[in-house]
Amino acid sequence: MNEQATIWANTLGMLPVNFLHGQDVGIEKYAMLNGYTNNFCLSFNNDIDIRTARNSVWSANMVNYVSIDHDNLLLFSLNKPDPEQISYHYVMQNLPQFYEYLGINQISLQDGVVPFVMSHYRMVRNALREENAAGNALKAFLYMLSQMGNEAGDVWNLPEGTEAVVAEIGAPLFEQVKQGFREGLKKLQLIPDIKILLRHCAGMLFQEANYLARFSSQLELFPTEIIRYEMNPKMMGSYYTPSYIARTIVEETLRYANIQERHNLTIFDPACGSGVFLIEVLHQLQTRGYQGHVDVIGWDIDPVAIDMANFILQFEKSEWGVKMEYHNSPINSLNVENQWPNADIILMNPPYISWSNMTPEQREQASAILNPRIRPNMASIFYYQAAHSLNTNGVIGCLMPSSFLTADSHSSIRRETNGIIAPRLIAHLGNFVFTSAMADVSIIIASNNRRNDNVQMLWTKNVDEVIPIALRSLRRGNNQSMISFGQGKDYNIYFDSYHELIEKDIWIPLPIQSIHQRRFLEQRMQMGGLVKAEDLFEIMMGARTGANDVFIISSAEYRNIPVKERIYFRPSVDSTSLKDGILTISNYLFYPYPENDIGFADEEDLKRKIPYVYHHFFENKMPLLMNREVKNGKWWLLSRPGAWQYKPVTKIVSTEFGKAGCFAYDKKGEYVVERGMAWIPCNREVSSEFYYFYIAILNSRYFNSLLQIYARQLAGGDLYNLEGKFMRNIPLPAIETIEEQTIDVLVSYGKKICKEGNREIEGLTGIVRKLYGE
């Protein structure tokens, strides 16, 4: 690669790949890639005019084309009629500022090449009158793309049955589409380059094409580009990995793969979709100058996805020639009869399906692979299989649900695979990778060639738009072999001990400040004075009703119930009843589990004892209530009542998700915890001062720093999962080791919080911090 391009890449944290399909030796044009915006073309061949530059960057879904000739830099931008001429020497002295300037030139995504192509595909999709013609629609889409690039020698791998679909739609419509292309391009004054389009935009094109193909649209009477639908990313986010994420996964995987020492590479994706990982690895191998043979294997349960992957990989093969073979098949990777191939590199974004959401067949397949007692997410099964399918010195690069890094249900898989492969990079990206559902995801790069005892960790604050910035910093630091780097406002990059990671069996990256704090607290616990929360409290999960809309009523509704029927309701702990440490009665929960055994023998007994409640709350909701998992068909029971709270018990309570301020004191034990947690002292004989002491600590601002270390952060970065499996390891001051005067002060703070809330309480954080030795 050009030495100057390397300087640009290392300075900006961009990934350069060859810009052109089949780029000849001596041509120095690079797509400088980062995230989903502000990518650009960098050319050191000053042989381009403004028309060609504009067509090229538009076809690559970019805006800027930077052309360099000695000390002259020409900047071609889609939104400017003429190029800007700038001193190259000046740009190199101010490269980060120049990159920010490029970002100002961005145009609306609606004016990009992808929306333009898709507007014409909608016309084709509309011509297929079947509402569920996904396979046929995508065949028509691939045919349409092949017609856009009809140069002599073009070879397209069109799926079987394409000719029949084209005949059904009719040649005149495709001519109409071509005419629409010509007219639209004349208006835009642009001409797409199909090879650049497929090289840089295939993933985005196939993503939306797949969505439209499967969408049951409101079809127009006559074929037009209009399809009345609203893009719902939740319906497509799980299908395709964003290109910029796949790019980083491939890049970091190749960093550990020692490709120059291999004459042959076998690369496998067991859930390949349309082939985004396979395309990306071919581009990066080519740019790195790899001269060996590459065997690419892709499996996917969806045959339509395999058709798309075959189309684009045939296009890539026209560049690689005999040095590349591909073998894509519609295969279920979970079926034990399908033996995974041994591979040097495995790349994947496996399905994120929890055990509870698996079909009976999928559970049976999972149990055939793993111990039947393990009930993991499907993604972890793919990780397990990948670990056992690597060749010597092999590497896995994958995008996984972050629960794999912490959840108890994945612990046995983490432990077993540790004996085979070791993580080399773990990057927690959070909930904003997919524009789809709020899946919390992480990158894991792991290899079976252990050369050091450190694991590179990337933590990002769980907010939007930070991921591309963090990945640029990761790339910049790794390319320059920097030992310490990446301490940004919303992200940290550092190295953690592999042995410490495995010993604690929690792989999730934390802010570097939290790492230092965690180690300090662990030393303090060894010295005494701090103990784990589970040594002081039993942390119990609240009830699950299975039908909140039926069983939880407001205070106003409660007051309308006859007095004699109210005994079957208790105040509930939920997000509306607990705020700033104050517990108030907001809602009531139907809780037919009284300690003095005045429940209901059967449905007739229920009707007789609570006629008003039965008529006003239950009678019209029978289908919902009877369609739950309840004991002995008693539909009026809660799905999971939490037997520990049948009898009122004094306790500290919390919401299910929250932070400091979401803990309160239920002194009388009258509340039923619903979707929250209860902290019950292991020693039931403690005084009220014990509760107030810990209420002060749990509601102090300092406690938020402990939550960041030990709990799971939710989207947005402000709230945490307060379940017992996270809370039990949080260190707390042992009250018996604290001076009486300090106890009295904290007890008074606790009482004040229970009465006035934890806002505007001065001095509390400082006192708590001192208890922790800071």
Side-chain angles (χ1 to χ4, degrees):
M1 187 172 63
N2 181 293
E3 182 179 345
Q4 288 294 302
T6 301
I7 294 173
W8 281 68
N10 291 346
T11 303
L12 298 178
M14 309 289 283
L15 174 69
V17 299
N18 289 349
F19 185 76
L20 301 176
H21 179 76
Q23 185 163 300
D24 294 332
V25 176
I27 300 297
E28 296 175 339
K29 297 180 189 290
Y30 304 100
M32 304 298 287
L33 303 173
N34 172 36
Y36 39 80
T37 60
N38 213 12
N39 304 315
F40 63 94
C41 175
L42 177 63
S43 172
F44 293 90
N45 301 104
N46 188 30
D47 57 355
I48 198 163
D49 56 50
I50 187 169
R51 180 179 178 84
T52 305
R54 285 167 55 82
N55 290 338
S56 296
V57 292
W58 186 67
S59 299
N61 206 44
M62 299 175 186
V63 176
N64 297 301
Y65 189 112
V66 177
S67 178
I68 297 165
D69 179 27
H70 300 295
D71 194 42
N72 290 322
L73 182 149
L74 288 178
L75 172 58
F76 301 88
S77 299
L78 282 180
N79 55 0
K80 295 182 179 180
D82 299 308
E84 296 179 69
Q85 185 168 329
I86 312 171
S87 164
Y88 182 53
H89 178 72
Y90 177 79
V91 168
M92 293 306 291
Q93 288 182 322
N94 301 276
L95 203 49
Q97 292 80 3
F98 179 72
Y99 180 70
E100 292 180 10
Y101 176 70
L102 293 181
I104 299 174
N105 288 334
Q106 297 303 304
I107 62 173
S108 170
L109 292 177
Q110 297 304 314
D111 297 324
V113 68
V114 173
F116 179 82
V117 172
M118 296 313 301
S119 69
H120 292 83
Y121 170 56
R122 291 186 185 94
M123 187 182 298
V124 175
R125 174 66 183 91
N126 235 330
L128 286 168
R129 309 311 293 171
E130 311 100 312
E131 291 191 351
N132 295 306
N136 287 347
L138 285 169
K139 289 172 185 175
F141 174 70
L142 297 178
Y143 176 77
M144 187 187 84
L145 290 179
S146 72
Q147 293 301 294
M148 289 175 60
N150 52 9
E151 299 177 13
D154 282 348
V155 178
W156 306 103
N157 190 352
L158 295 173
E160 184 178 348
T162 300
E163 291 183 3
V165 175
V166 172
E168 178 185 347
I169 295 174
L173 177 62
F174 283 103
E175 287 301 319
Q176 185 180 344
V177 170
K178 286 185 179 181
Q179 180 62 28
F181 258 86
R182 287 190 288 268
E183 293 175 359
L185 295 170
K186 184 178 181 181
K187 181 180 178 182
L188 292 170
Q189 296 184 330
L190 292 165
I191 300 174
D193 184 316
I194 183 63
K195 292 184 177 180
I196 292 178
L197 177 73
L198 289 177
R199 181 171 181 82
H200 298 291
C201 305
M204 289 179 285
L205 286 170
F206 289 172
Q207 177 173 331
E208 188 169 348
N210 193 27
Y211 178 87
L212 277 176
R214 299 173 188 280
F215 182 76
S216 297
S217 54
Q218 300 176 26
L219 300 172
E220 296 294 303
L221 180 60
F222 299 102
T224 72
E225 76 279 6
I226 299 172
I227 290 183
R228 301 187 186 283
Y229 79 102
E230 182 174 336
M231 179 63 77
N232 179 2
K234 291 185 179 181
M235 297 185 66
M236 52 191 259
S238 60
Y239 296 142
Y240 294 100
T241 312
S243 296
Y244 79 102
I245 298 295
R247 185 179 308 140
T248 295
I249 291 174
V250 169
E251 181 182 10
E252 294 303 320
T253 300
L254 293 178
R255 195 181 302 281
Y256 296 102
N258 301 317
I259 60 171
Q260 299 305 334
E261 299 176 8
R262 301 172 186 263
H263 300 294
N264 296 280
L265 279 175
T266 299
I267 301 169
F268 177 49
D269 185 345
C272 69
S274 62
V276 63
F277 278 116
L278 303 178
I279 297 166
E280 189 61 49
V281 74
L282 290 172
H283 289 178
Q284 293 193 33
L285 285 171
Q286 178 196 69
T287 303
R288 287 168 177 253
Y290 180 70
Q291 296 299 312
H293 185 273
V294 182
D295 193 17
V296 172
I297 305 171
W299 290 0
D300 199 281
I301 198 170
D302 182 4
V304 175
I306 291 297
D307 285 342
M308 291 190 288
N310 283 333
F311 179 89
I312 194 64
L313 284 173
Q314 178 62 34
F315 171 71
E316 295 296 331
K317 182 171 173 57
S318 67
E319 180 175 37
W320 280 80
V322 296
K323 292 195 300 180
M324 189 271 278
E325 298 294 334
Y326 68 92
H327 311 276
N328 296 327
S329 305
I331 291 177
N332 181 356
S333 295
L334 276 186
N335 192 328
V336 292
E337 295 178 1
N338 301 321
Q339 183 69 38
W340 284 31
N342 292 328
D344 303 300
I345 295 173
I346 297 178
L347 302 162
M348 60 181 181
N349 176 17
Y352 304 168
I353 303 176
S354 67
W355 180 268
S356 60
N357 288 330
M358 289 185 196
T359 65
E361 181 184 8
Q362 288 170 333
R363 291 182 184 178
E364 184 178 341
Q365 291 169 341
S367 297
I369 297 170
L370 301 171
N371 186 320
R373 292 173 295 180
I374 300 175
R375 297 187 171 190
N377 187 295
M378 188 182 290
S380 64
I381 304 173
F382 275 71
Y383 187 86
Y384 175 89
Q385 289 280 74
H388 288 81
S389 302
L390 280 181
N391 288 329
T392 303
N393 297 328
V395 188
I396 296 171
C398 54
L399 189 66
M400 296 283 287
S402 296
S403 59
F404 177 76
L405 305 176
T406 59
D408 293 338
S409 57
H410 305 306
S411 180
S412 59
I413 296 177
R414 290 195 299 270
R415 286 196 303 269
E416 182 170 341
T417 55
N418 286 339
I420 306 171
I421 59 174
R424 308 299 295 270
L425 166 69
I426 300 175
H428 180 219
L429 305 182
N431 297 86
F432 294 95
V433 167
F434 301 118
T435 54
S436 66
M438 299 296 283
D440 188 334
V441 298
S442 294
I443 291 172
I444 303 176
I445 310 297
S447 74
N448 55 19
N449 179 16
R450 300 178 182 176
R451 293 190 174 181
N452 58 58
D453 291 330
N454 290 324
V455 181
Q456 191 171 35
M457 308 290 274
L458 166 61
W459 165 83
T460 61
K461 189 174 182 180
N462 204 10
V463 294
D464 200 4
E465 299 182 353
V466 70
I467 299 172
I469 299 171
L471 295 183
R472 276 181 60 204
S473 183
L474 176 71
R475 180 178 296 121
R476 184 166 53 243
N478 283 341
N479 286 349
Q480 299 181 58
S481 300
M482 297 168 66
I483 297 175
S484 177
F485 61 94
Q487 306 308 317
K489 174 187 174 185
D490 295 328
Y491 66 92
N492 294 151
I493 304 169
Y494 58 94
F495 290 90
D496 208 351
S497 165
Y498 167 76
H499 296 290
E500 188 172 332
L501 209 67
I502 301 308
E503 182 181 350
K504 295 188 178 303
D505 195 30
I506 297 177
W507 295 7
I508 195 80
L510 297 170
I512 190 65
Q513 181 180 355
S514 296
I515 292 292
H516 297 324
Q517 185 180 6
R518 184 191 70 192
R519 290 171 180 167
F520 172 78
L521 293 172
E522 288 168 354
Q523 290 175 356
R524 290 275 297 165
M525 280 196 284
Q526 291 176 358
M527 294 166 59
L530 293 180
V531 296
K532 291 183 178 181
E534 64 181 355
D535 294 330
L536 296 171
F537 296 91
E538 293 181 63
I539 304 177
M540 311 294 290
M541 181 173 286
R544 298 291 186 268
T545 70
N548 279 5
D549 292 343
V550 179
F551 292 123
I552 298 178
I553 64 174
S554 67
S555 296
E557 290 173 312
Y558 176 80
R559 288 192 293 270
N560 291 329
I561 295 175
V563 173
K564 67 178 183 179
E565 298 186 29
R566 293 181 187 175
I567 61 173
Y568 298 100
F569 288 83
R570 283 169 60 184
S572 68
V573 175
D574 52 46
S575 58
T576 62
S577 63
L578 203 171
K579 187 176 182 181
D580 299 330
I582 300 176
L583 188 59
T584 58
I585 297 177
S586 177
N587 297 313
Y588 285 83
L589 174 66
F590 179 71
Y591 202 73
Y593 307 94
E595 57 176 313
N596 54 356
D597 196 24
I598 53 173
F600 312 106
D602 50 34
E603 188 171 344
E604 291 303 317
D605 189 29
L606 178 83
K607 292 179 183 178
R608 184 172 60 257
K609 290 180 177 177
I610 53 169
Y612 180 91
V613 170
Y614 180 87
H615 175 69
H616 286 85
F617 297 105
F618 296 161
E619 196 168 23
N620 294 329
K621 299 293 179 70
M622 285 299 178
L624 170 65
L625 295 173
M626 298 179 73
N627 196 33
R628 300 172 305 127
E629 293 183 13
V630 290
K631 198 171 183 179
N632 300 325
K634 294 184 178 181
W635 53 260
W636 57 89
L637 299 178
L638 307 187
S639 295
R640 284 180 285 169
W644 61 267
Q645 54 187 340
Y646 287 174
K647 180 179 180 179
V649 57
T650 303
K651 55 191 176 289
I652 291 175
V653 296
S654 79
T655 53
E656 184 176 16
F657 307 111
K659 56 182 179 178
C662 293
F663 296 84
Y665 180 23
D666 179 15
K667 188 173 184 178
K668 297 180 181 179
E670 60 183 320
Y671 286 81
V672 174
V673 179
E674 188 279 324
R675 287 286 173 184
M677 308 301 298
W679 293 49
I680 303 172
C682 297
N683 177 9
R684 304 297 174 89
E685 304 301 320
V686 297
S687 66
S688 60
E689 281 72 19
F690 178 92
Y691 293 97
Y692 287 123
F693 176 84
Y694 287 106
I695 280 290
I697 293 171
L698 296 173
N699 286 299
S700 68
R701 291 189 183 92
Y702 178 83
F703 194 70
N704 285 328
S705 67
L706 301 181
L707 291 174
Q708 189 170 43
I709 297 172
Y710 293 95
R712 182 181 298 161
Q713 198 172 24
L714 305 183
D718 192 39
L719 298 178
Y720 300 87
N721 187 322
L722 303 181
E723 288 183 52
K725 63 183 177 181
F726 302 114
M727 297 295 99
R728 67 189 182 197
N729 291 318
I730 284 186
L732 293 173
I735 191 171
E736 65 271 13
T737 67
I738 309 300
E739 294 180 356
E740 186 174 345
Q741 183 179 0
T742 304
I743 293 175
D744 291 341
V745 171
L746 283 172
V747 167
S748 65
Y749 272 121
K751 290 179 178 178
K752 186 175 183 180
I753 289 171
C754 291
K755 185 177 180 180
E756 302 175 12
N758 73 330
R759 293 186 178 183
E760 309 301 330
I761 293 185
E762 297 182 3
L764 174 59
T765 298
I767 294 173
V768 173
R769 189 183 298 276
K770 287 181 180 179
L771 287 180
Y772 281 87
E774 293 189 19

